[in-house]
Amino acid sequence: MQLRNIFFILGLLTICLALFLVFPGIVSFFYEEYATLTLFVKCFILTFFGGILLALASKPPKGEKIQLTTRDGVAIVGLCWIFATFICALPYYFITEVSFAKSFFESASGLSTTGGSIFADVEILPKGVLFWRSFTQWFGGLGIIVFSLALLPIIGAGGMQLYKAETPGVSKDKVAPKMIDTARSLWVIYFVLTLTLIAVLYLQGLSFFDALVHSLSTLSTGGFSSKNVSIAAFSPLTQWTMIFFMYLGSINFTLHFLFLHDGIKTYFKNEEWGCYTLYLLVGIFLIAACLYFSDTHAQYLLHEERGIYTIERALRDAAFQLVSLMTTSGFVTADYMQWPLFTHLIILLSIICGGCTASTSGGMKFMRVMIIFKLIRNELNRLSHPRAIERIKINGNPLDDTAVKSVLIFFALYILSIALGTLVLTTPDIDLETTFSATISCISNIGPALGMLGPTHNFSIFNDFDLTVLSFLMLYGRLEIFTILLLFMPKFWR
């Protein structure tokens, strides 16, 4: 373990995070929030000089090239996300004056793109803080490390180790020969999609600020909003627009890159995309049919008016809630807790499955779900035909046994983590449905949950200890379990 190199890179990444604090400061200055601006400057100074001191104290000897092993990459990624969560919590702590545990939770929720909040009334928050919430989701969505790889050529040959340790999914395909080029290509696509959504929302009548913060939260599948009623504050056209862009954010970004070269056939040749899209379409149809043919009333979030579901409204509400929750965005337009129980079952299954690999969404990832179902199918075939030999294939390519084994171990740890998290959080004041769904919500980086954490509530019902546990679960899920677990193994550091 090369501790000097690890802390040197952590220092550089801390400096990058300090530079990110300039942007909410500019927003605060533009809206004449000078008290908020002063506190952002304080956070910048603490972070910037802290990063410089760490980098100088651990700087390698002159002429020595940084070479990182896979183990070094795992350590850097895990520690970087923990460092970043502390740093990004500083504005909440100094500006909103909530406890540090609550600030840490809001920070973890932003960086992990979970979208759960402890603020009951977000509309009273300064514009600078509202921007910071969405901005942390944006650069946390595609990954702090991937962003840094695009900006810090000094990492060089060790970049692939960082990319492997952070990028979610079963496979970590590069889209360019060099790791830095891969990171830059992914971020260019991400940036262009974000700018496109900002322009579209602005043309649809949103203020520039609302278009900006909601675009940052949508492409990152994060879910932070500047409105108490979330996307229910906007028109049906805006809701359909955000459904489409949440869906884009939940697709493997490698496919977006290949689409620019090979066209639309890129998506149709990808098995995960096909199964994921089909599942969404079927789920939307089932929920919409249930809403339209039942006695359920159409009602926007926190609105008193009730109406009868039309076909378009049933499809829109079903599509928005299912896409938002399955992509782990967490935006809402309707109180799905008032919907029939059948829809809750579809929603719960969807938030566990999550989006595609190498996307900004959370959850188990649809690729793993596919592999598990194929493994079950092969086992049933083997019992029927003992001499048959079948390999699990994805996109026509057989998976090796190591990949299949890692998926099963991940699934086992995922289920075990949910059980332990629920056990720790359960108290006489909070029911089992709430703690169970809160644990799933945080590990899968979703935001809204069931019970007392439905779309009309927030995480302020938990005490500081519970919020710390939930913060850990968000980072634990964002880094797909293994990276965080390795940090707590003594053998890993020897």
Side-chain angles (χ1 to χ4, degrees):
M1 187 72 72
Q2 305 171 76
L3 292 179
R4 176 185 287 271
N5 288 343
I6 290 172
F7 284 107
F8 176 65
I9 292 176
L10 284 175
L12 296 179
L13 294 174
T14 301
I15 294 171
C16 281
L17 288 171
L19 297 178
F20 291 161
L21 284 163
V22 172
F23 295 99
I26 294 173
V27 173
S28 296
F29 178 79
F30 181 81
Y31 286 99
E32 300 181 352
E33 299 171 343
Y34 299 120
T36 302
L37 172 61
T38 301
L39 293 173
F40 271 118
V41 170
K42 179 179 180 181
C43 295
F44 168 81
I45 292 172
L46 287 173
T47 305
F48 184 76
F49 286 101
I52 287 179
L53 289 174
L54 182 59
L56 290 177
S58 53
K59 185 178 180 180
K62 187 175 182 179
E64 181 180 314
K65 188 175 180 179
I66 295 177
Q67 295 289 344
L68 300 177
T69 64
T70 300
R71 190 167 59 145
D72 295 333
V74 171
I76 289 170
V77 168
L79 292 174
C80 175
W81 278 84
I82 294 172
F83 270 45
T85 306
F86 274 101
I87 291 168
C88 293
L90 295 178
Y92 302 119
Y93 182 68
F94 289 122
I95 298 171
T96 66
E97 298 182 346
V98 297
S99 69
F100 192 79
K102 290 182 178 179
S103 302
F104 190 80
F105 175 89
E106 197 77 9
S107 173
S109 182
L111 287 173
S112 65
T113 71
T114 301
S117 180
I118 51 89
F119 295 114
D121 186 1
V122 298
E123 293 182 16
I124 65 172
L125 295 175
K127 289 286 197 298
V129 174
L130 289 174
F131 173 81
W132 179 240
R133 294 169 82 236
S134 295
F135 190 51
T136 56
Q137 291 193 325
W138 189 75
F139 66 74
L142 206 55
I144 299 170
I145 302 297
V146 178
F147 183 84
S148 301
L149 288 175
L151 299 179
L152 299 176
I154 192 172
I155 293 177
M160 193 59 193
Q161 278 66 42
L162 299 184
Y163 181 67
K164 285 180 178 180
E166 184 190 49
T167 306
V170 178
S171 62
K172 284 91 174 174
D173 298 325
K174 293 194 293 183
V175 297
K178 293 184 179 180
M179 189 60 247
I180 292 175
D181 293 335
T182 295
R184 287 173 180 165
S185 297
L186 293 176
W187 271 97
V188 166
I189 295 170
Y190 193 49
F191 187 72
V192 169
L193 286 173
T194 304
L195 288 180
T196 303
L197 181 55
I198 292 172
V200 171
L201 293 181
Y202 183 71
L203 291 174
Q204 290 178 359
L206 276 69
S207 69
F208 179 77
F209 181 79
D210 284 338
L212 173 62
V213 296
H214 286 95
S215 297
L216 295 176
S217 296
T218 299
L219 264 302
S220 62
T221 62
F224 277 153
S225 174
S226 58
K227 303 294 184 181
N228 290 333
V229 294
S230 190
I231 311 305
F234 306 118
S235 69
L237 178 60
T238 296
Q239 294 174 27
W240 281 115
T241 300
M242 296 188 71
I243 289 170
F244 177 69
F245 278 89
M246 285 189 290
Y247 171 71
L248 288 182
S250 69
I251 296 174
N252 190 326
F253 270 72
T254 303
L255 296 181
H256 296 325
F257 177 85
L258 296 175
F259 164 75
L260 300 176
H261 297 80
D262 301 328
I264 194 69
K265 64 180 181 181
T266 298
Y267 297 107
F268 289 97
K269 291 193 299 184
N270 186 271
E271 188 176 354
E272 182 189 27
W273 176 86
C275 292
Y276 172 68
T277 302
L278 179 62
Y279 177 93
L280 272 176
L281 292 174
V282 172
I284 290 169
F285 174 78
L286 291 175
I287 293 177
C290 186
L291 295 177
Y292 184 73
F293 291 107
S294 68
D295 295 329
T296 307
H297 292 286
Q299 180 184 22
Y300 280 125
L301 190 68
L302 299 179
H303 285 204
E304 296 295 333
E305 302 85 13
R306 290 172 175 265
I308 302 299
Y309 265 113
T310 61
I311 293 178
E312 186 276 335
R313 179 67 184 277
L315 284 171
R316 174 159 44 90
D317 278 6
F320 194 97
Q321 266 58 235
L322 187 63
V323 170
S324 178
L325 293 172
M326 189 164 184
T327 63
T328 69
S329 298
F331 287 124
V332 286
T333 58
D335 185 1
Y336 55 78
M337 291 302 298
Q338 307 301 319
W339 291 0
L341 180 61
F342 172 72
T343 65
H344 295 181
L345 298 176
I346 297 177
I347 288 172
L348 184 61
L349 178 61
S350 300
I351 63 179
I352 290 174
C353 292
C356 298
T357 56
S359 68
T360 61
S361 59
M364 278 190 59
K365 299 294 191 300
F366 215 80
M367 177 74 77
R368 291 193 178 97
V369 176
M370 288 170 51
I371 292 173
I372 291 171
F373 273 99
K374 289 189 175 192
L375 188 63
I376 294 171
R377 181 200 62 189
N378 285 4
E379 184 62 19
L380 292 175
N381 289 340
R382 188 189 66 80
L383 293 174
S384 302
H385 307 282
R387 295 185 179 181
I389 299 177
E390 295 188 42
R391 298 290 301 274
I392 294 177
K393 296 181 179 180
I394 298 294
N395 298 323
N397 301 315
L399 291 180
D400 58 38
D401 293 339
T402 302
V404 176
K405 182 180 178 181
S406 70
V407 169
L408 294 177
I409 293 173
F410 179 91
F411 181 68
L413 287 172
Y414 183 83
I415 298 300
L416 180 61
S417 301
I418 291 173
L420 290 176
T422 303
L423 182 63
V424 171
L425 295 174
T426 300
T427 65
D429 299 326
I430 302 177
D431 59 82
L432 181 61
E433 180 187 21
T434 300
T435 54
F436 176 69
S437 62
T439 304
I440 295 178
S441 175
C442 289
I443 291 180
S444 299
N445 305 134
I446 297 159
L450 303 176
M452 299 165 65
L453 290 175
T456 59
H457 300 86
N458 59 72
F459 283 80
S460 60
I461 61 173
F462 291 102
N463 59 38
D464 283 359
F465 172 77
D466 291 340
L467 290 174
T468 303
V469 172
L470 291 171
S471 301
F472 169 80
L473 291 178
M474 286 188 280
L475 298 178
Y476 179 73
R478 172 61 178 82
L479 295 178
E480 306 223 324
I481 297 177
F482 295 109
T483 301
I484 293 294
L485 283 182
L486 284 172
L487 296 181
F488 292 92
M489 294 181 61
K491 183 182 290 187
F492 175 76
W493 296 99
R494 293 173 190 160

